[in-house]
Amino acid sequence: MYKNTIKLTASAVALCAASSAFADSLTVYTALEEEEVAIYLDAAKAAMPDLEIDVLRLSTGKLGARLLAEAGNPQADVIWGWAVTAMMDPQVLELMAPVKIAGTEALAPQFRDTEDRWFAQIGYMGAFCVNTARLEDKGLTMPTSWADLEAPEFKGEVLMPDPNESGTGYLHVNAVLQGMGVEKGWAQLEAVDPNMAQYTSSGSKPCKSARTGEYTVGISLAFTAMQSIEEGYPLAMVFPSEGVGYELEASGILSSSDQQEEAKKFLDWTMSPDAIELFSQYKALVTVAGAKPSETAVKAGLPSDISTVLAPVDFVESAGRQNEIKAEWREKFGR
């Protein structure tokens, strides 16, 4: 199902709210992966042909920086699929409108804001993407934990996203710190750092680099791992035994938008049965009751009960400490 995806970039789906000739036009900022956005957007436009949707895709960190930079003159109408730890920043929440989106009342309390400023029907999980061919060629043992990545044999063989630029990077760092405790967590990250070939700005790049054999291990996303396995790359999706990080992808409407009705229409669609079914084909984590994982996810090794592999994550703590954690990470590992 992934082979015919369309690569979406800011230039491919132009950010043109100011010049749009459509009365019902939305400007949407998203941090969802490009491959996903293209597919979801096709379905949204088929369901709402009279609604022009202009999407700008940015990494989690860059989306937040843009929102705050534009706070005095907001350009977006909708935030769609952005890390909830970023959405919960008080400066961001001040920009969001309290709007009841159809269907969100059925979400468990931890998946929606008490004041209806955001909701999260989807999320993403981290994973180790391990190139099995390169692993065999180099005589390496399959890593099943963060501790395994300390082995000297993995020097220069590991990629990971920078948590200051990527929500995926923060997801992994936060899971290690919350799962192991702060002191032991930082010690674990420091022990693996000498083997890191690079810290990337993209959450999916480590997996994409690993699947093509440039490196052995890409600390990345379960979605990208599942996609890569289905496309035939020699890749294994591994969830570290210490527990894998995950993140909710929140959506909401900016209070400054003059397209409130259209924005609500779009987000109502994202909670529709058709949209949830589509999300379930690509997301490892869907918070709507009854959603079933795709065959691709099952074949790639996603357990039927994903709670068995998830790290214990407190999203309030994740949001409250992220600036402190990112600053400390930069001091320890910035390159």
Side-chain angles (χ1 to χ4, degrees), residues 73-94:
N73 183 28
Q75 301 298 305
D77 299 299
V78 173
I79 304 302
W80 175 33
W82 189 37
V84 74
T85 50
M87 184 76 89
M88 290 170 68
D89 182 328
Q91 296 179 87
V92 172
L93 287 178
E94 287 182 1

Side-chain angles (χ1 to χ4, degrees), residues 16 39 48 63 84 96 98 107-108 180-181 191-192 194 210 213 228 232 238 240 247 253 276 286 327:
C16 57
I39 293 166
M48 299 170 288
L63 195 159
V84 74
M96 309 306 296
L107 296 177
M180 301 179 69
V192 176
S228 302
V238 176
E247 178 66 272
I253 300 172
I276 297 303
V286 178

Side-chain angles (χ1 to χ4, degrees), residues 46-300:
M48 299 170 288
D50 295 332
L51 183 61
E52 180 72 6
I53 307 169
D54 300 323
V55 176
L56 177 63
R57 194 273 167 187
L58 296 164
S59 68
T60 297
K62 290 180 179 178
L63 195 159
R66 187 179 184 109
L67 270 182
L68 296 179
E70 293 176 350
N73 183 28
Q75 301 298 305
D77 299 299
V78 173
I79 304 302
W80 175 33
W82 189 37
V84 74
T85 50
M87 184 76 89
M88 290 170 68
D89 182 328
Q91 296 179 87
V92 172
L93 287 178
E94 287 182 1
L95 304 176
M96 309 306 296
V99 180
K100 289 189 178 295
I101 301 302
T104 56
E105 68 280 356
L107 296 177
Q110 64 268 36
F111 304 136
R112 51 191 167 95
D113 180 48
T114 56
E115 299 180 30
D116 295 318
R117 293 167 295 182
W118 62 264
F119 67 96
Q121 81 281 58
I122 54 177
Y124 55 91
M125 297 168 54
F128 289 175
C129 298
V130 184
N131 187 298
T132 53
R134 188 176 175 102
L135 191 81
E136 183 178 355
D137 287 346
K138 292 187 169 291
L140 300 171
T141 302
M142 177 66 74
T144 60
S145 67
W146 281 89
D148 288 346
L149 297 180
E150 298 176 26
E153 293 79 9
F154 281 103
K155 187 172 181 61
E157 291 295 324
V158 187
L159 286 182
M160 176 180 164
D162 181 334
N164 283 281
E165 299 188 56
S166 163
T168 305
Y170 183 70
L171 171 156
H172 283 289
V173 170
N174 183 60
V176 171
L177 297 179
Q178 288 199 21
M180 301 179 69
V182 173
E183 185 175 345
K184 290 183 178 179
W186 282 123
Q188 179 63 80
L189 294 170
E190 288 172 348
V192 176
D193 177 64
N195 290 343
M196 290 289 177
Q198 184 183 354
Y199 290 107
T200 68
S201 61
S202 163
S204 60
K205 183 178 179 180
C207 194
K208 292 176 179 178
S209 295
R211 74 185 184 185
T212 57
E214 296 176 62
Y215 302 92
T216 302
V217 181
I219 298 173
S220 189
L221 292 163
F223 164 76
T224 314
M226 294 187 296
Q227 175 192 36
S228 302
I229 291 168
E230 187 184 56
E231 292 179 357
Y233 289 98
L235 202 78
M237 178 171 68
V238 176
F239 300 114
S241 59
E242 297 92 347
V244 70
Y246 70 104
E247 178 66 272
L248 300 176
E249 293 174 293
S251 299
I253 300 172
L254 275 81
S255 57
S256 59
S257 172
D258 58 4
Q259 300 286 345
Q260 295 285 321
E261 184 178 340
E262 291 77 13
K264 185 179 185 305
K265 180 180 179 180
F266 173 69
L267 290 184
D268 282 346
W269 173 82
T270 70
M271 281 295 296
S272 70
D274 287 346
I276 297 303
E277 183 178 355
L278 183 58
F279 294 151
S280 296
Q281 295 179 36
Y282 297 91
K283 308 303 293 187
L285 180 59
V286 178
T287 67
V288 177
K292 297 180 180 179
S294 67
E295 289 185 16
T296 297
V298 174
K299 289 179 180 178

